[in-house]
Each structure stands twice: as structure tokens, then as C-alpha cells.
């Protein structure tokens, strides 16, 4: 068989039977998180943390550890400090949680992929930031995530569960709370 015919057969086979890469599966998983909550065990602590996504808003609930809930929407970050009853509003061009926005992971470059049995360990980089995702190829979901910036750990978490969107703090009345607006 000539090389040309062989290449045509490979092309047709790959077209008829497309294979998702692990990276494609990770992106699909992240895109599927809208209107869901990931229950995380952060840094092997006993406290559960919740990362919830609803449309273009990320909720990072560390209430069980430090009585705070952070919301991120666009370049606005709001920290709800339940101890002091203060809402701190800040602005940032990006945060380490932006990868959970639709297509946010596409900014990262894959630097290493290690596949063993049904688990993949994929390392990404973006400037000084390193992201390591452990992905279960059978379940098609992230099972752990670590984010570092200049060798400082920003997040190291195991995914305990994925549930429907769960953010009961939205029902609170924050009218009496002090607001500190630190936006530029």
C-alpha cells in the first residue's frame, strides 16, 4: 500500500472514530460544572470547601474553615466575612480560579501528561502559575487539583463530591453589613 493511501485511511479512520484527548475530557468536565458544586477537601484539612459555579460567577465557600465566602465575577472579587460582617470588594485582572470559567483552561499550556491505568496527571502552566490536575479517565472527572504560583501553593484539593448548585448564603440579607470597596 502506498504512503498516500495509508495516510488517507488513517485520516478517514480518525474522522470516523474521533478520540478525545485527556485535555479535551478535562475541558468538557469543567464546562459541565455550570450550576453545580464541587465539594473539596483542601490541604488535607478536616474542613470541606465548596467551589460552585453558576453561569459566569464562581463561589468559593471556605465558611467551615474561616467563615468566609468569596464570589468572583469578571474582574470583581467579593469576600463575605461572616465574623466581622464585612463585604470586601476588590478588582483583579485574573484569579487562580479563572480556569473554572468556560474556556478558562485554554489559556494554559500543557507541559506534561502522565497516564497510568485509568488515571491521568496533567500539568499545565500559565506564566508563573503551575496547575496539576489528576483526572479519572473512566469516571471522566477531576479527582484532585493543585495550583501553585512561583512555587507557592494556592490550592491543593481532592474532589470529594459533585452535587447540584449549593450556595444557601445567597438568601442572607447583607444590608446591615459594612462594605469596604478596594477596587481600582
Amino acid at each position: 500500500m502506498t504512503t498516500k493511501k495509508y495516510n488517507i485511511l488513517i485520516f478517514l479512520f480518525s474522522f470516523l472514530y474521533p478520540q478525545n484527548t485527556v485535555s479535551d475530557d478535562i475541558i468538557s468536565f469543567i464546562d459541565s460544572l455550570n450550576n453545580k458544586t464541587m465539594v473539596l477537601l483542601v490541604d488535607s484539612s478536616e474542613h470541606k470547601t465548596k467551589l460552585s459555579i453558576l453561569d459566569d460567577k464562581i463561589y468559593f465557600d471556605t465558611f467551615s474553615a474561616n467563615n468566609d465566602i468569596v464570589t468572583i465575577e469578571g474582574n470583581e472579587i467579593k469576600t463575605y466575612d461572616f465574623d466581622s460582617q464585612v463585604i470586601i470588594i476588590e478588582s483583579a485582572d485574573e484569579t487562580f480560579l479563572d480556569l473554572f470559567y468556560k474556556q478558562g483552561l485554554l489559556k494554559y499550556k500543557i507541559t506534561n501528561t502522565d497516564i497510568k491505568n485509568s488515571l491521568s496527571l496533567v500539568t499545565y502552566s500559565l506564566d508563573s502559575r503551575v496547575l496539576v490536575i489528576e483526572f479519572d479517565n473512566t469516571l471522566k472527572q477531576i479527582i484532585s487539583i493543585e495550583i501553585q504560583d512561583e512555587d507557592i501553593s494556592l490550592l491543593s484539593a481532592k474532589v470529594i463530591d459533585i452535587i447540584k448548585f449549593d450556595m444557601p448564603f445567597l438568601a442572607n440579607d447583607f444590608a446591615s453589613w459594612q462594605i469596604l470597596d478596594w477596587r481600582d
Side-chain angles (χ1 to χ4, degrees):
M1 183 181 303
T2 66
T3 304
K4 190 174 185 178
K5 288 181 184 178
Y6 183 75
N7 288 340
I8 290 172
L9 282 174
I10 290 174
F11 172 75
L12 288 174
F13 184 78
S14 65
F15 183 72
L16 293 173
Y17 302 99
Q19 297 291 316
N20 277 359
T21 65
V22 173
S23 180
D24 293 336
D25 289 341
I26 291 171
I27 290 169
S28 293
F29 173 78
I30 290 172
D31 286 347
S32 76
L33 289 175
N34 187 43
N35 204 22
K36 294 184 183 163
T37 296
M38 285 195 315
V39 181
L40 306 172
L41 192 59
V42 176
D43 295 323
S44 302
S45 73
E46 296 176 14
H47 304 287
K48 290 183 181 171
T49 299
K50 293 179 182 175
L51 178 79
S52 303
I53 300 169
L54 184 60
D55 300 324
D56 292 329
K57 200 167 193 176
I58 296 173
Y59 301 84
F60 193 57
D61 176 353
T62 59
F63 190 83
S64 65
N66 62 9
N67 292 335
D68 288 349
I69 296 176
V70 176
T71 64
I72 303 167
E73 185 171 21
N75 68 346
E76 183 178 272
I77 302 168
K78 288 184 181 177
T79 302
Y80 295 81
D81 180 341
F82 284 81
D83 286 337
S84 303
Q85 293 192 342
V86 172
I87 301 171
I88 301 168
I89 305 172
E90 302 172 86
S91 59
D93 291 334
E94 64 180 37
T95 72
F96 69 90
L97 294 175
D98 287 352
L99 70 104
F100 289 103
Y101 284 130
K102 291 223 181 275
Q103 307 302 314
L105 188 59
L106 294 178
K107 296 177 187 175
Y108 286 77
K109 177 184 168 194
I110 296 175
T111 57
N112 189 39
T113 302
D114 185 19
I115 301 172
K116 291 183 182 169
N117 299 326
S118 67
L119 298 179
S120 294
L121 196 62
V122 183
T123 305
Y124 298 84
S125 67
L126 176 65
D127 302 325
S128 62
R129 196 172 300 150
V130 175
L131 165 65
V132 180
I133 293 177
E134 187 176 13
F135 189 78
D136 187 312
N137 300 315
T138 305
L139 298 174
K140 301 287 186 204
Q141 74 177 40
I142 293 173
I143 56 175
S144 73
I145 187 165
E146 182 175 359
I147 305 170
Q148 296 178 354
D149 196 354
E150 297 183 0
D151 296 326
I152 297 171
S153 180
L154 302 176
L155 177 70
S156 180
K158 297 256 185 231
V159 178
I160 304 299
D161 200 4
I162 298 169
I163 58 177
K164 67 179 181 152
F165 183 78
D166 179 33
M167 199 49 55
F169 101 101
L170 295 173
N172 288 2
D173 180 14
F174 299 105
S176 64
W177 285 33
Q178 179 184 4
I179 296 178
L180 300 176
D181 193 340
W182 292 347
R183 288 178 284 189
D184 297 333

